[in-house]
Amino acid sequence: MVNLDKLKGKIREKRFTIYSLAVAIGINPATLYRRFEANGETFTIGEVTAIARVLCLSYEELNEIFFEKKVA
């Protein structure tokens, strides 16, 4: 499950918008907006890799954002 709040926080911290991030990673902004609307469940590995590279995410941040496990 993707932690969208942390991802959005990193996007703002790095002074991107969803639109500018989409352009930076080479996808259509509408596609990235759809990924967010689907709670991040439809991100591809390539998109995750590109987002991590553009936002300069550490390994820890990458795991916290994209591979967060929720335990009841």
Side-chain angles (χ1 to χ4, degrees):
M1 176 170 258
V2 176
N3 186 327
L4 290 179
D5 289 334
K6 284 185 182 181
L7 178 56
K8 288 176 183 178
K10 279 293 174 184
I11 291 169
R12 281 190 297 273
E13 179 182 314
K14 300 294 182 167
R15 300 193 186 276
F16 280 92
T17 62
I18 294 174
Y19 181 91
S20 64
L21 179 62
V23 172
I25 66 172
I27 66 171
N28 187 302
T31 300
L32 190 55
Y33 282 110
R34 280 194 302 275
R35 302 286 191 253
F36 276 85
E37 289 297 316
N39 294 317
E41 295 177 11
T42 58
F43 279 114
T44 66
I45 295 297
E47 291 165 351
V48 169
T49 302
I51 290 169
R53 180 180 38 79
V54 168
L55 296 180
C56 300
L57 298 178
S58 69
Y59 182 73
E60 183 177 296
E61 291 170 327
L62 178 68
N63 283 322
E64 287 175 357
I65 292 170
F66 291 102
F67 303 106
E68 179 182 61
K69 289 188 178 183
K70 296 205 179 206
V71 179

Coordinates of all heavy atoms in Angstrom, one line a residue:
M1 N 0.8 -1.2 0.0 CA 0.0 0.0 0.0 C 0.9 1.2 0.0 O 1.9 1.3 0.7 CB -0.9 0.0 1.2 CG -1.8 1.2 1.4 SD -3.0 1.0 2.6 CE -4.4 0.7 1.6
V2 N 0.6 2.2 -0.8 CA 1.3 3.4 -1.0 C 0.9 4.4 0.1 O -0.3 4.6 0.3 CB 1.2 4.0 -2.4 CG1 1.9 5.3 -2.5 CG2 1.7 3.0 -3.4
N3 N 1.8 5.1 0.7 CA 1.5 6.1 1.7 C 1.5 7.4 0.9 O 2.5 8.1 0.7 CB 2.5 6.2 2.8 CG 2.2 7.1 3.9 OD1 1.5 8.2 3.6 ND2 2.5 6.8 5.1
L4 N 0.3 7.8 0.4 CA 0.2 9.0 -0.4 C 0.5 10.3 0.3 O 1.0 11.2 -0.3 CB -1.2 9.0 -1.1 CG -1.5 8.0 -2.2 CD1 -2.9 8.1 -2.7 CD2 -0.5 8.1 -3.3
D5 N 0.2 10.3 1.6 CA 0.4 11.5 2.4 C 1.9 11.8 2.4 O 2.4 13.0 2.2 CB -0.1 11.4 3.8 CG -1.6 11.5 3.8 OD1 -2.2 12.1 2.9 OD2 -2.2 10.9 4.8
K6 N 2.7 10.8 2.6 CA 4.2 11.0 2.6 C 4.7 11.3 1.2 O 5.6 12.2 1.1 CB 4.9 9.7 3.1 CG 4.8 9.5 4.6 CD 5.6 8.3 5.1 CE 5.5 8.1 6.6 NZ 6.3 7.0 7.0
L7 N 4.2 10.7 0.2 CA 4.6 11.0 -1.1 C 4.2 12.4 -1.5 O 5.1 13.2 -2.0 CB 3.9 10.0 -2.1 CG 4.3 10.3 -3.6 CD1 5.8 10.2 -3.8 CD2 3.6 9.2 -4.5
K8 N 3.0 12.9 -1.2 CA 2.7 14.3 -1.5 C 3.5 15.2 -0.7 O 3.9 16.3 -1.2 CB 1.2 14.5 -1.1 CG 0.3 13.8 -2.1 CD -1.2 14.0 -1.7 CE -2.1 13.3 -2.7 NZ -3.5 13.4 -2.2
G9 N 3.9 14.9 0.5 CA 4.8 15.7 1.3 C 6.1 15.9 0.7 O 6.7 16.9 0.7
K10 N 6.7 14.8 0.2 CA 8.0 14.8 -0.5 C 7.9 15.6 -1.8 O 8.8 16.3 -2.1 CB 8.5 13.4 -0.8 CG 9.1 12.7 0.4 CD 10.4 13.5 0.7 CE 11.0 13.0 2.0 NZ 12.2 13.7 2.4
I11 N 6.8 15.5 -2.5 CA 6.6 16.2 -3.7 C 6.7 17.7 -3.4 O 7.4 18.5 -4.1 CB 5.3 15.8 -4.4 CG1 5.4 14.4 -5.0 CG2 5.0 16.8 -5.6 CD1 4.1 13.8 -5.5
R12 N 5.9 18.1 -2.4 CA 5.9 19.6 -2.0 C 7.3 20.0 -1.5 O 7.8 21.1 -1.8 CB 4.9 19.8 -0.9 CG 3.5 19.9 -1.5 CD 2.5 20.4 -0.4 NE 2.3 19.5 0.7 CZ 1.5 18.4 0.7 NH1 0.7 18.2 -0.3 NH2 1.4 17.6 1.8
E13 N 7.9 19.1 -0.7 CA 9.2 19.4 -0.1 C 10.3 19.7 -1.2 O 11.1 20.6 -1.0 CB 9.7 18.3 0.8 CG 11.0 18.4 1.4 CD 11.5 17.2 2.2 OE1 10.6 16.7 3.0 OE2 12.6 16.8 2.0
K14 N 10.2 19.0 -2.3 CA 11.1 19.1 -3.4 C 10.7 20.2 -4.4 O 11.2 20.3 -5.5 CB 11.4 17.8 -4.1 CG 11.9 16.7 -3.2 CD 13.3 17.0 -2.7 CE 13.8 15.9 -1.9 NZ 15.3 16.0 -1.6
R15 N 9.6 20.9 -4.0 CA 9.0 22.0 -4.8 C 8.5 21.5 -6.2 O 8.7 22.2 -7.2 CB 10.0 23.1 -5.0 CG 10.4 23.7 -3.6 CD 11.1 25.0 -3.8 NE 11.6 25.5 -2.5 CZ 10.9 26.2 -1.6 NH1 9.6 26.4 -1.9 NH2 11.4 26.5 -0.5
F16 N 7.9 20.4 -6.2 CA 7.2 19.9 -7.4 C 5.7 20.0 -7.2 O 5.2 20.1 -6.1 CB 7.6 18.4 -7.7 CG 8.9 18.1 -8.3 CD1 10.0 17.9 -7.6 CD2 9.0 18.1 -9.7 CE1 11.3 17.7 -8.2 CE2 10.2 17.9 -10.3 CZ 11.4 17.7 -9.6
T17 N 5.0 19.8 -8.3 CA 3.6 19.6 -8.3 C 3.4 18.2 -8.9 O 4.3 17.7 -9.5 CB 2.8 20.7 -9.1 OG1 3.2 20.5 -10.5 CG2 3.0 22.1 -8.6
I18 N 2.2 17.7 -8.8 CA 1.9 16.4 -9.5 C 2.2 16.6 -11.0 O 2.8 15.7 -11.6 CB 0.5 15.9 -9.2 CG1 0.4 15.5 -7.7 CG2 0.2 14.6 -10.0 CD1 -0.9 15.1 -7.2
Y19 N 1.8 17.7 -11.5 CA 2.0 17.9 -13.0 C 3.4 18.0 -13.3 O 3.9 17.3 -14.2 CB 1.3 19.3 -13.3 CG 1.4 19.6 -14.8 CD1 0.4 19.2 -15.7 CD2 2.5 20.3 -15.3 CE1 0.6 19.4 -17.1 CE2 2.7 20.6 -16.6 CZ 1.7 20.1 -17.5 OH 1.8 20.4 -18.9
S20 N 4.2 18.8 -12.6 CA 5.6 18.9 -12.9 C 6.4 17.6 -12.6 O 7.4 17.3 -13.3 CB 6.3 20.1 -12.1 OG 6.3 19.9 -10.7
L21 N 6.0 16.8 -11.6 CA 6.6 15.5 -11.4 C 6.3 14.6 -12.6 O 7.2 13.9 -13.0 CB 6.1 14.9 -10.1 CG 6.6 13.5 -9.7 CD1 8.2 13.6 -9.6 CD2 5.9 13.0 -8.5
A22 N 5.1 14.6 -13.1 CA 4.8 13.7 -14.2 C 5.6 14.1 -15.4 O 6.2 13.2 -16.1 CB 3.3 13.9 -14.6
V23 N 5.8 15.4 -15.7 CA 6.7 15.8 -16.8 C 8.1 15.3 -16.5 O 8.8 14.8 -17.4 CB 6.6 17.3 -17.0 CG1 7.6 17.8 -18.0 CG2 5.2 17.7 -17.4
A24 N 8.6 15.5 -15.3 CA 10.0 15.1 -15.0 C 10.2 13.6 -15.1 O 11.3 13.2 -15.5 CB 10.3 15.6 -13.6
I25 N 9.2 12.8 -14.8 CA 9.4 11.3 -15.0 C 9.0 10.8 -16.3 O 9.1 9.6 -16.6 CB 8.7 10.5 -13.8 CG1 7.2 10.6 -13.9 CG2 9.3 11.0 -12.5 CD1 6.5 9.7 -12.9
G26 N 8.5 11.7 -17.2 CA 8.2 11.3 -18.6 C 6.9 10.6 -18.8 O 6.8 9.8 -19.7
I27 N 5.9 10.9 -18.0 CA 4.5 10.4 -18.2 C 3.5 11.5 -18.4 O 3.8 12.6 -17.9 CB 4.1 9.4 -17.1 CG1 3.9 10.0 -15.8 CG2 5.0 8.2 -17.0 CD1 3.2 9.2 -14.8
N28 N 2.4 11.2 -18.9 CA 1.3 12.2 -19.1 C 0.8 12.6 -17.7 O 0.6 11.7 -16.9 CB 0.2 11.5 -19.9 CG -0.8 12.5 -20.3 OD1 -1.5 13.1 -19.4 ND2 -1.1 12.7 -21.6
P29 N 0.7 13.8 -17.4 CA 0.1 14.3 -16.1 C -1.2 13.6 -15.7 O -1.4 13.3 -14.6 CB 0.0 15.8 -16.2 CG 1.1 16.1 -17.2 CD 1.1 15.0 -18.2
A30 N -2.0 13.4 -16.7 CA -3.3 12.7 -16.4 C -3.1 11.3 -15.9 O -3.9 10.9 -15.0 CB -4.2 12.7 -17.7
T31 N -2.1 10.7 -16.4 CA -1.8 9.3 -15.9 C -1.4 9.3 -14.4 O -1.8 8.5 -13.6 CB -0.7 8.7 -16.7 OG1 -1.1 8.6 -18.1 CG2 -0.3 7.3 -16.2
L32 N -0.5 10.3 -14.1 CA -0.1 10.4 -12.7 C -1.3 10.8 -11.8 O -1.4 10.2 -10.7 CB 1.0 11.4 -12.5 CG 1.7 11.4 -11.2 CD1 2.2 10.0 -10.8 CD2 2.9 12.4 -11.2
Y33 N -2.1 11.7 -12.2 CA -3.3 12.0 -11.4 C -4.2 10.8 -11.2 O -4.7 10.6 -10.1 CB -4.1 13.1 -12.1 CG -3.6 14.5 -12.0 CD1 -3.0 15.2 -13.0 CD2 -3.6 15.1 -10.7 CE1 -2.5 16.5 -12.9 CE2 -3.1 16.4 -10.6 CZ -2.5 17.1 -11.6 OH -2.0 18.3 -11.5
R34 N -4.3 9.9 -12.2 CA -5.1 8.7 -12.1 C -4.5 7.8 -11.1 O -5.2 7.1 -10.3 CB -5.3 8.0 -13.4 CG -6.3 8.6 -14.3 CD -6.7 7.7 -15.4 NE -5.6 7.3 -16.3 CZ -5.2 8.1 -17.3 NH1 -5.8 9.2 -17.6 NH2 -4.1 7.7 -18.1
R35 N -3.1 7.7 -11.1 CA -2.4 6.9 -10.1 C -2.8 7.3 -8.7 O -3.0 6.5 -7.8 CB -0.9 6.9 -10.3 CG -0.4 6.5 -11.6 CD -0.5 5.0 -11.8 NE 0.2 4.6 -13.0 CZ -0.4 4.2 -14.1 NH1 -1.7 4.1 -14.2 NH2 0.3 3.8 -15.2
F36 N -2.8 8.6 -8.5 CA -3.1 9.2 -7.1 C -4.6 8.9 -6.8 O -4.9 8.6 -5.7 CB -2.8 10.7 -7.1 CG -1.4 11.0 -6.7 CD1 -0.4 11.0 -7.7 CD2 -1.0 11.2 -5.4 CE1 0.9 11.3 -7.4 CE2 0.3 11.5 -5.1 CZ 1.3 11.5 -6.1
E37 N -5.5 9.0 -7.8 CA -6.9 8.7 -7.5 C -7.2 7.3 -7.2 O -8.1 7.0 -6.5 CB -7.7 9.1 -8.8 CG -7.8 10.6 -9.0 CD -8.5 11.3 -7.8 OE1 -9.6 10.8 -7.3 OE2 -8.0 12.4 -7.4
A38 N -6.3 6.4 -7.6 CA -6.4 5.0 -7.3 C -5.6 4.6 -6.1 O -5.3 3.4 -5.8 CB -5.9 4.1 -8.5
N39 N -5.3 5.6 -5.2 CA -4.6 5.4 -4.0 C -3.2 4.8 -4.2 O -2.7 4.2 -3.3 CB -5.4 4.6 -3.0 CG -6.6 5.3 -2.6 OD1 -6.6 6.5 -2.3 ND2 -7.7 4.5 -2.5
G40 N -2.6 5.1 -5.4 CA -1.3 4.6 -5.6 C -1.1 3.2 -6.0 O 0.0 2.7 -6.1
E41 N -2.2 2.5 -6.0 CA -2.2 1.0 -6.2 C -1.8 0.6 -7.6 O -1.5 -0.5 -7.9 CB -3.5 0.4 -5.8 CG -3.8 0.5 -4.3 CD -5.1 0.0 -3.9 OE1 -5.8 -0.7 -4.8 OE2 -5.5 0.2 -2.8
T42 N -1.8 1.6 -8.6 CA -1.5 1.2 -10.0 C -0.2 1.7 -10.4 O 0.1 1.7 -11.6 CB -2.6 1.7 -10.9 OG1 -2.7 3.2 -10.7 CG2 -4.0 1.1 -10.5
F43 N 0.7 2.2 -9.5 CA 2.0 2.6 -9.9 C 2.8 1.4 -10.5 O 2.7 0.3 -10.0 CB 2.8 3.2 -8.7 CG 2.5 4.6 -8.4 CD1 1.9 4.9 -7.2 CD2 2.8 5.6 -9.2 CE1 1.6 6.2 -6.8 CE2 2.6 7.0 -8.9 CZ 2.0 7.2 -7.7
T44 N 3.5 1.7 -11.6 CA 4.4 0.6 -12.1 C 5.8 0.7 -11.4 O 6.1 1.8 -10.9 CB 4.6 0.8 -13.6 OG1 5.3 2.0 -13.9 CG2 3.2 0.8 -14.4
I45 N 6.6 -0.3 -11.6 CA 7.9 -0.3 -11.0 C 8.7 0.8 -11.6 O 9.5 1.5 -11.0 CB 8.6 -1.7 -11.2 CG1 7.8 -2.8 -10.4 CG2 10.0 -1.6 -10.8 CD1 7.8 -2.6 -8.9
G46 N 8.6 1.0 -12.9 CA 9.3 2.0 -13.7 C 8.9 3.4 -13.1 O 9.8 4.3 -13.0
E47 N 7.7 3.6 -12.9 CA 7.2 4.9 -12.3 C 7.8 5.2 -10.9 O 8.2 6.2 -10.6 CB 5.7 5.0 -12.3 CG 5.1 5.1 -13.7 CD 3.6 4.8 -13.8 OE1 3.0 4.4 -12.7 OE2 3.0 5.0 -14.8
V48 N 7.7 4.1 -10.1 CA 8.3 4.2 -8.7 C 9.8 4.6 -8.8 O 10.2 5.4 -8.1 CB 8.0 2.9 -7.9 CG1 8.8 2.9 -6.6 CG2 6.5 2.8 -7.7
T49 N 10.5 3.9 -9.7 CA 11.9 4.1 -9.8 C 12.2 5.5 -10.2 O 13.1 6.2 -9.7 CB 12.5 3.1 -10.8 OG1 12.3 1.8 -10.3 CG2 14.0 3.3 -11.0
A50 N 11.4 6.0 -11.2 CA 11.6 7.4 -11.7 C 11.3 8.4 -10.7 O 12.0 9.4 -10.5 CB 10.8 7.6 -13.0
I51 N 10.2 8.2 -9.9 CA 9.8 9.1 -8.9 C 10.9 9.2 -7.8 O 11.3 10.2 -7.4 CB 8.4 8.7 -8.3 CG1 7.3 9.0 -9.3 CG2 8.2 9.5 -7.0 CD1 6.0 8.4 -8.9
A52 N 11.4 8.0 -7.4 CA 12.5 8.0 -6.4 C 13.7 8.7 -6.9 O 14.3 9.4 -6.1 CB 12.8 6.5 -6.1
R53 N 14.0 8.6 -8.1 CA 15.2 9.2 -8.7 C 15.0 10.8 -8.7 O 15.9 11.5 -8.3 CB 15.5 8.7 -10.1 CG 16.7 9.3 -10.8 CD 17.0 8.8 -12.2 NE 15.8 8.5 -13.0 CZ 15.1 9.4 -13.6 NH1 15.4 10.7 -13.6 NH2 14.0 9.1 -14.4
V54 N 13.9 11.2 -9.3 CA 13.6 12.6 -9.4 C 13.5 13.3 -8.1 O 14.0 14.4 -7.9 CB 12.3 12.9 -10.3 CG1 11.9 14.3 -10.2 CG2 12.6 12.5 -11.7
L55 N 12.9 12.7 -7.1 CA 12.7 13.3 -5.8 C 13.9 13.0 -4.8 O 13.9 13.4 -3.7 CB 11.4 12.7 -5.1 CG 10.1 13.1 -5.8 CD1 8.9 12.5 -5.0 CD2 9.9 14.6 -5.9
C56 N 14.9 12.3 -5.3 CA 16.1 11.9 -4.6 C 15.7 11.3 -3.2 O 16.2 11.6 -2.2 CB 16.9 13.2 -4.3 SG 17.5 14.0 -5.8
L57 N 14.8 10.2 -3.3 CA 14.4 9.5 -2.1 C 15.5 8.6 -1.7 O 16.1 7.9 -2.5 CB 13.1 8.7 -2.4 CG 11.9 9.5 -2.8 CD1 10.7 8.6 -3.1 CD2 11.5 10.5 -1.8
S58 N 15.7 8.5 -0.4 CA 16.6 7.5 0.2 C 15.9 6.2 0.1 O 14.7 6.1 -0.1 CB 16.9 7.9 1.7 OG 15.8 7.7 2.5
Y59 N 16.7 5.1 0.4 CA 16.1 3.8 0.4 C 15.0 3.7 1.4 O 14.0 3.1 1.2 CB 17.3 2.8 0.6 CG 16.8 1.3 0.6 CD1 16.5 0.7 -0.6 CD2 16.7 0.6 1.8 CE1 16.1 -0.6 -0.6 CE2 16.3 -0.7 1.8 CZ 16.0 -1.3 0.6 OH 15.6 -2.6 0.6
E60 N 15.3 4.3 2.6 CA 14.3 4.2 3.7 C 13.0 5.0 3.3 O 11.9 4.5 3.5 CB 14.9 4.9 4.9 CG 14.0 4.8 6.1 CD 14.7 5.4 7.4 OE1 15.7 4.8 7.8 OE2 14.2 6.4 7.9
E61 N 13.2 6.1 2.7 CA 12.0 6.9 2.3 C 11.2 6.1 1.2 O 10.0 6.1 1.3 CB 12.4 8.3 1.7 CG 12.9 9.2 2.8 CD 13.6 10.5 2.2 OE1 14.2 10.4 1.1 OE2 13.5 11.5 2.8
L62 N 11.9 5.5 0.3 CA 11.3 4.7 -0.8 C 10.4 3.6 -0.2 O 9.3 3.4 -0.5 CB 12.3 4.2 -1.7 CG 11.9 3.3 -2.8 CD1 11.1 4.1 -3.8 CD2 13.0 2.6 -3.5
N63 N 11.0 2.9 0.8 CA 10.2 1.8 1.5 C 9.1 2.4 2.3 O 8.0 1.8 2.3 CB 11.2 1.0 2.4 CG 12.0 0.1 1.5 OD1 11.6 -0.5 0.6 ND2 13.3 -0.1 1.9
E64 N 9.3 3.5 3.0 CA 8.2 4.0 3.8 C 7.0 4.5 2.9 O 5.9 4.4 3.3 CB 8.7 5.2 4.6 CG 9.6 4.8 5.8 CD 10.1 6.0 6.5 OE1 9.9 7.2 6.1 OE2 10.8 5.8 7.5
I65 N 7.3 5.0 1.8 CA 6.3 5.5 0.9 C 5.6 4.4 0.1 O 4.4 4.3 0.1 CB 6.8 6.6 0.0 CG1 7.2 7.9 0.8 CG2 5.8 7.0 -1.1 CD1 8.0 8.9 0.0
F66 N 6.4 3.6 -0.6 CA 5.8 2.7 -1.6 C 5.6 1.3 -1.1 O 4.9 0.5 -1.7 CB 6.7 2.7 -2.8 CG 6.6 3.9 -3.6 CD1 7.6 4.8 -3.5 CD2 5.5 4.2 -4.4 CE1 7.6 6.0 -4.3 CE2 5.4 5.4 -5.1 CZ 6.5 6.3 -5.1
F67 N 6.2 0.9 0.0 CA 6.1 -0.5 0.5 C 5.7 -0.6 1.9 O 6.0 -1.5 2.6 CB 7.4 -1.2 0.3 CG 7.9 -1.1 -1.2 CD1 8.9 -0.3 -1.5 CD2 7.2 -1.9 -2.1 CE1 9.3 -0.2 -2.9 CE2 7.7 -1.8 -3.5 CZ 8.7 -1.0 -3.8
E68 N 4.9 0.4 2.4 CA 4.4 0.4 3.7 C 3.4 -0.7 4.0 O 2.5 -0.9 3.2 CB 3.7 1.7 4.0 CG 3.2 1.8 5.4 CD 2.4 3.2 5.6 OE1 1.4 3.4 4.9 OE2 2.8 3.9 6.5
K69 N 3.6 -1.4 5.0 CA 2.7 -2.5 5.4 C 1.9 -2.1 6.6 O 2.4 -1.5 7.5 CB 3.5 -3.8 5.8 CG 4.2 -4.4 4.6 CD 4.7 -5.7 5.0 CE 5.4 -6.4 3.8 NZ 5.9 -7.7 4.1
K70 N 0.6 -2.3 6.5 CA -0.3 -2.0 7.5 C -0.8 -3.3 8.2 O -1.2 -4.2 7.5 CB -1.5 -1.3 7.0 CG -1.2 0.1 6.4 CD -2.3 1.0 6.5 CE -1.8 2.3 5.9 NZ -2.5 3.4 6.3
V71 N -0.6 -3.3 9.5 CA -1.0 -4.5 10.3 C -2.1 -4.1 11.2 O -2.1 -3.1 11.9 CB 0.2 -5.0 11.1 CG1 -0.2 -6.2 11.9 CG2 1.4 -5.4 10.2
A72 N -3.2 -4.9 11.2 CA -4.3 -4.6 12.0 C -4.1 -5.0 13.5 O -3.3 -5.8 13.8 CB -5.5 -5.4 11.5

